[in-house]
Amino acid sequence: MAQKELGVAVVGAGRIGTLRARLAAKHPCVGFLAVSDLDPARARALAEQTGADFHCGNNFEIIERPEVNAVFVSTPEGEHAAPVRRALELGKPVLVEKPIALSLDDADDILATLKATKGKLRIGYSRRFKECFLRAKEQMIHGRLGKVTGGLARVYNSRAQTFAILKRDPHATPVLDVLTYYVDLMCWFLEGNAPVEVVARGQTGIFKEAGYDTHDVTWAILTFADGAVVNLGISYALPARFPTQGQSDRVELLGTEGTMLIDDDHKDHLLFSEKGIPHPYVPGHQIEMAFLGSNTAGDWALGDFWGPLGNETRAWLDHLVTGNPTAHTTPEQARVNLETTIAIERAIATGKAVRLPLET
Ligand SMILES: NC(=O)c1ccc[n+]([C@@H]2O[C@H](COP(=O)([O-])OP(=O)(O)OC[C@H]3O[C@@H](n4cnc5c(N)ncnc54)[C@H](O)[C@@H]3O)[C@@H](O)[C@H]2O)c1
């Protein structure tokens, strides 16, 4: 029988913190659960929903609880650094949501604490835990494509979700907040082959009109150390009632001895309902047609949560108990992802190629 050896703290009781806490509460090795939020009422509501043992409005209080030996940091993008550092200082392993931070200074502070404490930190790039991408990584490990010469990854979503993200943090642009998943995937697939240069263009439109300093469409070309060229693109500005409920994407890898095409648009699973379909991320938003399976985190079905974020959460808790190797993004990889997305935005702003690593 499993021993309940994990005590879990979930910092941030929003959409993703709620999923982490609900999944942790169901994990057979979790014997203690605590949740916090800047808004104590949210922490209380999540504690009631999950049967958590403790809740409060002070992040450090839950991290410092003696029963806690694993910490999820699910705060907004610009609020990751302080709770991550506190947990590491106390020697507690952390899974923090992507991106590791919104600035390289914050990321470097986290990395410095990690080095000083010799702690354990992973970053929640849950696309890695989508089955099509796990399968793709397996084929890359077997070398079935030969030498990869290039590829592409592009992702689309409706503007309904983007406005919800920008409202939370106007600096969490589609490139820093979402294209980062595809930078992560490409760097993971091409592991050992670092990105060295970015050229990019972006076009403004509805987001700029609404007062946000970001683009409706971004296209970038990333060159890797061995010369491989990868096209990365994002538009999170599709009409609000477009059927994608998270991410419609396409990932292609081209090699000297093979090709891999991953159609992850989700046009193969349509739901139409005259009664309306609630959006999984944007409260109060309804659509009549949905690409089922496009919700980034995954989906509830039969009382359990299935999909990338479910796999990722369970895999991290399992990893803590078993000590087995895991595919979660490392802090060094997350820093490369952040640096590369910052370079993409810099390349758009200057119209020039930007070399990586960035000069500080
Ligand atoms: N892996 C995925 O599938 C996925 C999907 C969406 C978002 N995310 C990431 O998850 C993180 C959170 O996103 P979300 O959608 O849950 O946001 P959200 O806005 O739904 O929730 C954030 C919560 O944090 C609370 N909060 C704000 N500042 C805080 C602080 N300093 N301390 C404690 N609580 C604080 C807010 O009150 C809110 O309850 C982000 O980093 C985001 O990029 C991951």
Side-chain angles (χ1 to χ4, degrees):
M1 298 295 282
Q3 288 182 356
K4 304 236 171 199
E5 54 196 88
L6 292 178
V8 171
V10 176
V11 179
R15 300 167 179 89
I16 301 305
T18 295
L19 292 176
R20 301 287 189 199
R22 291 182 71 181
L23 284 156
K26 281 171 170 279
H27 193 279
C29 294
V30 173
F32 179 87
L33 177 64
V35 296
S36 69
D37 197 283
L38 199 58
D39 176 353
R42 283 197 181 195
R44 188 183 326 112
L46 181 55
E48 279 166 13
Q49 188 182 17
T50 55
D53 303 278
F54 183 73
H55 63 88
C56 73
N58 181 334
N59 301 334
F60 286 7
E61 213 173 307
I62 66 160
I63 294 169
E64 288 163 7
R65 286 286 299 220
E67 303 90 337
V68 166
N69 56 13
V71 179
F72 289 99
V73 174
S74 302
T75 48
E77 295 77 358
E79 303 284 326
H80 290 166
V84 170
R85 287 208 312 265
R86 186 70 194 129
L88 291 174
E89 282 161 8
L90 295 171
K92 303 191 180 189
V94 183
L95 183 81
V96 59
E97 308 300 341
K98 59 78 212 168
I100 185 168
L102 287 176
S103 73
L104 288 173
D105 283 349
D106 273 358
D108 287 340
D109 278 351
I110 291 173
L111 285 162
T113 309
L114 184 68
K115 197 170 165 203
T117 57
K118 300 190 175 56
K120 287 180 83 168
L121 173 66
R122 295 297 177 119
I123 293 75
Y125 277 89
S126 49
R127 292 321 267 173
R128 285 193 183 193
F129 289 85
K130 192 158 194 191
E131 287 176 12
C132 57
F133 299 127
L134 281 167
R135 277 194 291 268
K137 176 66 180 176
E138 183 67 15
Q139 301 311 314
M140 296 302 292
I141 289 169
H142 289 292
R144 299 232 156 78
L145 301 192
K147 180 176 152 38
V148 173
T149 46
L152 75 79
R154 66 104 182 105
V155 57
Y156 297 147
N157 195 5
S158 83
R159 62 189 70 166
Q161 187 159 343
T162 318
F163 279 120
I165 296 169
L166 291 169
K167 208 169 116 195
R168 174 172 73 234
D169 191 328
H171 303 294
T173 61
V175 169
L176 290 188
D177 207 49
V178 180
L179 196 61
T180 187
Y181 283 119
Y182 296 87
V183 172
D184 180 67
L185 282 179
M186 281 301 183
C187 291
W188 188 43
F189 293 150
L190 275 65
E191 207 159 355
N193 191 6
V196 294
E197 189 207 61
V198 173
V199 292
R201 292 291 182 272
Q203 172 64 308
T204 55
I206 55 140
F207 299 134
K208 185 146 194 188
E209 271 171 34
Y212 295 106
D213 184 19
T214 192
H215 300 91
D216 287 13
V217 179
T218 297
W219 297 113
I221 296 174
L222 193 55
T223 305
F224 284 78
D226 73 349
V229 280
V230 171
N231 176 202
L232 292 164
I234 183 163
S235 179
Y236 253 44
L238 273 54
R241 284 144 63 82
F242 188 79
T244 300
Q245 294 185 302
Q247 297 186 27
S248 278
D249 57 273
R250 194 167 180 87
V251 174
E252 303 184 349
L253 288 159
L254 311 171
T256 51
E257 290 157 80
T259 304
M260 191 153 39
L261 308 177
I262 305 170
D263 179 350
D264 195 37
D265 272 326
H266 303 286
K267 290 178 293 190
D268 55 348
H269 192 166
L270 295 186
L271 172 66
F272 181 88
S273 171
E274 289 180 341
K275 293 180 169 178
I277 305 157
H279 195 283
Y281 197 83
V282 186
H285 183 59
Q286 286 217 348
I287 49 183
E288 284 76 41
M289 188 162 94
F291 292 166
L292 291 187
S294 61
N295 183 10
T296 310
D299 298 283
W300 288 102
L302 311 180
D304 235 317
F305 192 77
W306 308 97
L309 194 125
N311 297 345
E312 178 188 58
T313 308
R314 293 185 195 100
W316 188 64
L317 294 172
D318 293 352
H319 159 71
L320 294 182
V321 176
T322 63
N324 289 339
T326 179
H328 296 85
T329 299
T330 66
E332 295 74 22
Q333 290 168 333
R335 194 192 184 282
V336 169
N337 297 339
L338 176 63
E339 189 173 43
T340 305
T341 52
I342 289 173
I344 291 173
E345 297 213 318
R346 236 179 243 184
I348 299 171
T350 59
K352 297 199 173 117
V354 174
R355 298 292 302 175
L356 289 162
L358 290 175
E359 284 172 20
T360 47

